[in-house]
Amino acid sequence: IIGLLYVAAYLVAGDKLPKKAQISGVAVGGLHPSEAVNKLTAELGARTIAPLNVTVRGDQAELKPTDAGLAVDYVKSVDAAGGGKSLNPARIATVLTGGTATDAVVVVDDQKLQAAVGELSKTFNHAPVDAAVAYQGTKIKQKPAREGITLQNGPAAALIKSSFMKTTGPLELPAAVGQPAVTDQEADQLVASFAKPAVAAPVKVSLSSSRSFEVSRSMLAASIDFVPQNGELVPE
């Protein structure tokens, strides 16, 4: 009886995938491997070519999987989920009653991936920008500081590879941050301590008891520049 039951179970299980098997969210339980491959191709195909949204500290870019050498091996994905015949009783029992959710098997052309990340670095990388102060007429204009960004190509490539087909939201890539020499706070202090007082009122110049002239606020503003020196913003 046990022998007959074993043979019957083997014939029913055949080369089907386990009953509860899922691959990257696609239910493939009970399907033959070829059927599972066809279903995965149909339901995951659009995802495998959709541009990936990648970000670095607020800046965004898109990365096409095909340009980065990223693809899904559907046959290996089905094999990893438990497809194929087996005489193992445990395997037969799993096909009939078990199975788990697995991720699709991703294959990567590492040279293409590294090249694609190199192109991303051209988009994201920039040197730090110092805060700046200047007069526009007699009005004070401030340019905010900006941190420098250097994409960490190796870790970024590894993250893209490991996240492909597993995330749908923007992917934040690792990057080194460089601080500006002149910060917004330092620029604010310079404006309060010097830039505003310097043009607060015209300057009257007396040549003698009867002769004088006035230097207007706009003339004062036009004569002053703020230049970075040794990591500080200095009026000149």
Side-chain angles (χ1 to χ4, degrees):
I1 293 174
I2 293 174
L4 290 174
L5 290 175
Y6 172 76
V7 171
Y10 172 78
L11 293 175
V12 171
D15 61 353
K16 294 177 183 177
L17 274 78
K19 182 179 181 180
K20 300 177 183 178
Q22 289 188 8
I23 301 174
S24 290
V26 179
V28 291
L31 298 180
H32 292 285
S34 60
E35 294 173 334
V37 167
N38 291 337
K39 186 173 183 180
L40 288 176
T41 304
E43 297 195 23
L44 297 182
R47 283 176 58 189
T48 64
I49 60 173
L52 305 174
N53 293 318
V54 293
T55 62
V56 174
R57 299 183 72 84
D59 290 337
Q60 298 183 2
E62 286 190 343
L63 177 65
K64 293 181 179 179
T66 51
D67 292 343
L70 298 168
V72 169
D73 189 321
Y74 296 111
V75 174
K76 288 184 178 179
S77 298
V78 170
D79 290 343
K85 290 184 178 181
S86 174
L87 294 172
N88 188 328
R91 161 71 174 76
I92 295 172
T94 298
V95 170
L96 297 178
T97 62
T100 59
T102 59
D103 294 319
V105 175
V106 174
V107 291
V108 183
D109 183 325
D110 288 320
Q111 287 188 338
K112 274 191 170 184
L113 179 57
Q114 290 294 341
V117 172
E119 288 299 312
L120 286 177
S121 67
K122 297 178 182 178
T123 299
F124 291 122
N125 288 6
H126 58 265
V129 176
D130 290 341
V133 176
Y135 290 114
Q136 191 174 72
T138 56
K139 293 183 178 179
I140 301 170
K141 297 295 182 180
Q142 289 183 243
K143 181 180 179 181
R146 188 182 183 191
E147 295 175 329
I149 296 295
T150 302
L151 186 65
Q152 296 179 316
N153 289 22
L159 180 62
I160 291 170
K161 180 177 179 179
S162 64
S163 301
F164 182 56
M165 298 299 293
K166 295 180 183 177
T167 179
T168 56
L171 184 63
E172 179 71 15
L173 301 181
V177 179
Q179 298 301 323
V182 181
T183 65
D184 291 335
Q185 183 180 8
E186 291 169 332
D188 291 341
Q189 292 173 348
L190 179 64
V191 168
S193 64
F194 185 92
K196 286 184 177 179
V199 295
V203 175
K204 184 177 181 179
V205 180
S206 298
L207 302 179
S208 66
S209 59
S210 59
R211 298 179 64 192
S212 65
F213 66 90
E214 186 176 271
V215 182
S216 68
R217 294 174 63 237
S218 60
M219 293 170 66
L220 290 168
S223 70
I224 301 172
D225 291 322
F226 299 95
V227 296
Q229 290 182 4
N230 300 321
E232 295 183 359
L233 202 56
V234 179
E236 186 176 85

